[in-house]
Amino acid sequence: MKNRQKLLILAAVLLLLAGGGWFLYASGFFQAARSLDGLRAYIVHFAPYSHLAFFLVQLLSVILAPIPSNVTAAAGGVLFGTWPAFLITYGAVAAGSLLVFWLARALGRDFAGRLVSRRLSDKYQDVLRAKAPVFLVLAFLFPFFPDDMLCILAGLTDLSFCRFAVIVLLTRPWGLLFASALGGSTLDLPPWVMVPIGLAGLALFLLGMKYGDRLEESVLSRLKEQKHGKTE
């Protein structure tokens, strides 16, 4: 891609992102995101276009907002029910993930450097270059990693777009489904099934809060050791 074309696309993308960020700020999203009740009231405010507003918020949150999609998915579950909230969130998160991957691939570090801190880039870039498919699967399945930022960094590797899309579509929905179900509480499962699932989810959450950093470092160290072992 010619430098002039890259600059034009980058400028257009940055303007759109700035506009999206201003919309979230001006409409009170960041303040509302402090609680599920606040998010629910924020989305209801856009009625009768609440579903569209929810999709746009989820899409923008992948790129701009430091709010996990699981949190907004839970709020959507309260408003729309489990399956509508899940399908909207899944569509928005998948679209946003593929979009930022493609933009990073097309625009390179000029784009990625504006959205990902140098600390995160230094921390994950080597592992992604060496073990992108394995690491992304683990990162998307466990709630200890910055999923959205990793999508951007993955675009700087040689991972193909099709392979990345398969990973996203197969691994990202599970946490979103659980969060939507938690908010909607409408899964047609008997109590003897829902109670163990709820307890298991709570246990994973508590373990993640306490040991998430250690698990993250363990995964990174293990993958780096495998990389060095192959190069020796």
Side-chain angles (χ1 to χ4, degrees):
M1 185 180 294
K2 296 180 180 179
N3 289 334
R4 185 176 180 182
Q5 290 177 320
K6 288 180 66 174
L7 288 174
L8 289 174
I9 294 175
L10 179 60
V13 168
L14 291 177
L15 285 174
L16 288 173
L17 293 181
W22 174 251
F23 166 76
L24 292 179
Y25 173 78
S27 60
F29 171 78
F30 295 106
Q31 184 175 2
R34 296 175 183 176
S35 68
L36 285 179
D37 288 339
L39 280 172
R40 182 174 59 181
Y42 175 84
I43 296 168
V44 169
H45 175 73
F46 291 97
Y49 306 106
S50 298
H51 289 80
L52 176 60
F54 182 62
F55 178 86
L56 292 175
V57 165
Q58 292 289 62
L59 179 64
L60 289 172
S61 70
V62 175
I63 308 171
L64 295 172
I67 307 297
S69 299
N70 291 338
V71 175
T72 45
V78 174
L79 282 175
F80 309 122
T82 296
W83 294 111
F86 165 67
L87 292 174
I88 294 172
T89 301
Y90 182 35
V93 169
S97 300
L98 297 178
L99 174 62
V100 295
F101 178 92
W102 177 79
L103 288 172
R105 174 64 50 83
L107 300 174
R109 294 191 178 277
D110 289 339
F111 170 76
R114 286 168 168 78
L115 296 178
V116 182
S117 69
R118 183 63 179 270
R119 181 184 65 83
L120 284 178
S121 181
D122 292 342
K123 186 175 184 178
Y124 295 113
Q125 196 65 69
D126 289 341
V127 174
L128 281 169
R129 287 198 184 101
K131 296 278 187 178
V134 175
F135 179 59
L136 287 174
V137 168
L138 292 173
F140 291 158
L141 287 176
F142 293 98
F144 316 129
F145 298 91
D147 298 356
D148 301 330
M149 298 299 100
L150 292 177
C151 292
I152 299 173
L153 294 176
L156 301 178
T157 70
D158 59 359
L159 181 68
S160 71
F161 182 86
C162 290
R163 195 171 186 184
F164 176 76
V166 170
I167 293 172
V168 167
L169 294 175
L170 293 180
T171 59
R172 296 214 71 175
W174 308 112
L176 302 176
L177 176 58
F178 179 80
S180 300
L182 188 64
S185 300
T186 58
L187 285 179
D188 294 327
L189 295 175
W192 60 270
V193 174
M194 285 299 293
V195 170
I197 290 176
L199 292 175
L202 178 61
L204 285 174
F205 174 78
L206 294 176
L207 288 172
M209 292 296 291
K210 188 171 184 179
Y211 300 110
D213 291 341
R214 298 183 193 178
L215 178 61
E216 180 185 9
E217 291 299 329
S218 176
V219 170
L220 288 173
S221 298
R222 187 67 178 271
L223 291 175
K224 287 178 180 178
E225 288 174 3
Q226 292 179 6
K227 174 190 173 184
H228 293 322
K230 286 188 176 182
T231 55
E232 290 177 356

